[in-house]
Amino acid sequence: MSRFSFVLRLMAVVAAAHVYVGLRLIPDLALPGSQQWVGVMALVLSGILMPVSLVIRPFAARPWADWVAGIGLVVMGLFSSIFVLTLLRDVVLAAVLTAGTLASAKLPLPALKADSALAVLVLALGATLLGAFNARRLARVVRVDVPIAGLPPALHGFTIAQISDIHVGPTIKRGYVQHIVQAVNALRPDLIAITGDVVDGPVAQLAPHTQPLGELAARHGAYLVTGNHEYYSGADHWVAEFRRMGLHVLMNEHVVLRHDGTPLVVAGVTDYSAGAFDPAQASNPAAALAGAPAGAISLLLAHQPRSAGAAAAAGYRLQLSGHTHGGQFLPWNLFVRFQQPFTAGLRRFEDMWVYTSRGTGYWGPPKRLGAPSEITLLRLIAG
């Protein structure tokens, strides 16, 4: 699908959603005619800003483009809640009206419609403000013990700081990244894992804002794998930039670390969808482990949790992933499992553990509800 075709389809879906919300809420609010037109124009502006926010930055000069994109993304988060709450309101109204009819009760229908329509707007605004606060504050540190059967004594207590899905772009800039780096370095981990989707834009625009990542410090260094958004943003250029910063980018390959004399294999694969952008970069967990020392504990960095099937078959003991954002905000966390095997947290997959980060930044709307961002400190322990 071409970019132009994608934008047209997106605009059609967005327009249909806005028409639905307008028809269901504006008449029921019982506003004067002039105020109804204000509501209509607000919906029209929202319907324009939302798709524009996703496509404007490559074609317009900054910082004007960032301001437009940022406003559009905030509007996207607000409208998302309005849309979901409008659907829920219709379900509740239908149930109340049905129950009233069956009970032959006379309901104050105009007041019920007006109050519920107003409640949708108030709740959506409240959710957006709370979600923005949650998204913009520094990610919390989540500490996780991972029990590994047969873990060599020298690796007991080995720590890995994982960050994922920062999405440097219109609303996430250098200062935000700098605070993440400071928090990670304060943990003094043995290893740092960056599991993809670092950026949302080209190197020429965002390189200054990613520079703090070069200050990440750990005993065995910082390792990075590509996510799908690196491929949207020019993966080859970003891989070169990450390496210039001193990050170790793993593309279907591994390194063997010696921790107090004991080997630990750290492998990384390109994003699960990388083959669609460049067949030569198709994700391959088995190839990433080729030639690794037999019997050594192996760790895989893979952006998407659905790499787990191939990873388990290849013999990895632990996979670190991101991509899902934990759903980022309600109710979308309920739908992640339709695409990914895991939404968040530590889960068992056959003989392998999979840890899925909720992400350290956010994508699109600056909004998190029910899925807090995280900096993860994983500790290997004997299982």
Side-chain angles (χ1 to χ4, degrees):
M1 183 189 302
S2 70
R3 189 180 186 92
F4 180 71
S5 176
F6 168 77
V7 172
L8 285 180
R9 294 188 183 189
L10 176 63
M11 291 183 71
V13 171
V14 169
H18 280 73
V19 169
Y20 163 71
V21 167
L23 292 175
R24 296 303 302 142
L25 294 186
I26 292 177
D28 287 354
L29 286 169
L31 300 171
S34 59
Q35 293 182 21
Q36 287 194 11
W37 276 109
V38 171
V40 170
M41 293 309 298
L43 283 172
V44 170
L45 183 60
S46 169
I48 294 172
L49 281 173
M50 284 173 56
V52 166
S53 68
L54 298 178
V55 299
I56 191 173
R57 296 183 69 250
F59 305 106
R62 297 173 65 204
W64 175 77
D66 278 350
W67 276 102
V68 173
I71 293 170
L73 293 172
V74 171
V75 169
M76 183 188 297
L78 174 61
F79 180 78
S80 174
S81 291
I82 291 175
F83 178 75
V84 170
L85 289 169
T86 301
L87 285 173
L88 182 61
R89 169 183 178 263
D90 281 350
V91 171
V92 172
L93 282 177
V96 170
L97 291 175
T98 300
T101 301
L102 292 175
S104 300
K106 188 174 181 179
L107 299 173
L109 193 55
L112 187 61
K113 287 184 175 182
D115 291 346
S116 60
L118 180 60
V120 165
L121 300 180
V122 171
L123 289 173
L125 180 59
T128 301
L129 293 174
L130 178 60
F133 172 77
N134 290 337
R136 293 299 303 176
R137 65 181 176 179
L138 178 64
R140 63 175 183 165
V141 175
V142 176
R143 299 174 184 269
V144 180
D145 284 348
V146 184
I148 305 291
L151 186 73
L155 294 179
H156 180 81
F158 187 93
T159 55
I160 306 162
Q162 180 190 5
I163 56 177
S164 190
D165 301 271
I166 300 173
H167 290 283
V168 177
T171 62
I172 293 181
K173 302 295 185 183
R174 185 186 182 100
Y176 191 103
V177 178
Q178 186 69 59
H179 283 104
I180 292 171
V181 169
Q182 291 170 352
V184 170
N185 287 347
L187 297 173
R188 302 177 64 84
D190 293 310
L191 177 76
I192 296 171
I194 308 171
T195 48
D197 278 7
V198 177
V199 293
D200 271 320
V203 171
Q205 291 182 2
L206 299 179
H209 299 286
T210 60
Q211 292 311 299
L213 294 173
E215 300 169 14
L216 287 168
R219 176 177 175 179
H220 294 289
Y223 292 82
L224 179 149
V225 293
T226 55
N228 52 308
H229 282 254
E230 271 71 59
Y231 286 91
Y232 304 154
S233 305
D236 290 341
H237 295 293
W238 273 114
V239 167
E241 177 65 13
F242 292 143
R243 285 175 172 159
R244 188 196 65 77
M245 284 190 277
L247 302 174
H248 305 283
V249 183
L250 297 174
M251 303 182 72
N252 297 324
E253 55 192 330
H254 73 268
V255 296
V256 180
L257 307 179
R258 293 280 172 180
H259 186 76
D260 294 339
T262 299
L264 173 67
V265 177
V266 179
V269 291
T270 52
D271 180 64
Y272 188 87
S273 65
F277 297 88
D278 182 355
Q281 294 188 24
S283 185
N284 192 331
L289 199 58
I297 300 296
S298 55
L299 159 70
L300 177 67
L301 311 185
H303 178 61
Q304 299 195 38
R306 56 182 170 172
S307 293
Y316 291 95
R317 308 297 294 277
L318 171 63
Q319 174 180 310
L320 302 184
S321 298
H323 185 67
T324 68
H325 298 214
Q328 193 159 312
F329 58 92
L330 293 165
W332 309 116
N333 53 333
L334 304 177
F335 297 94
V336 173
R337 288 298 299 272
F338 291 105
Q339 194 213 27
Q340 300 291 333
F342 308 110
T343 301
L346 186 66
R347 299 290 184 272
R348 192 75 175 172
F349 186 91
E350 297 180 2
D351 293 330
M352 179 182 75
W353 288 104
V354 179
Y355 187 83
T356 306
S357 168
R358 291 181 175 88
T360 314
Y362 54 85
W363 178 83
K367 186 173 184 177
R368 278 190 174 272
L369 285 174
S373 56
E374 63 180 81
I375 295 167
T376 318
L377 186 67
L378 300 111
R379 186 173 69 113
L380 305 185
I381 62 172

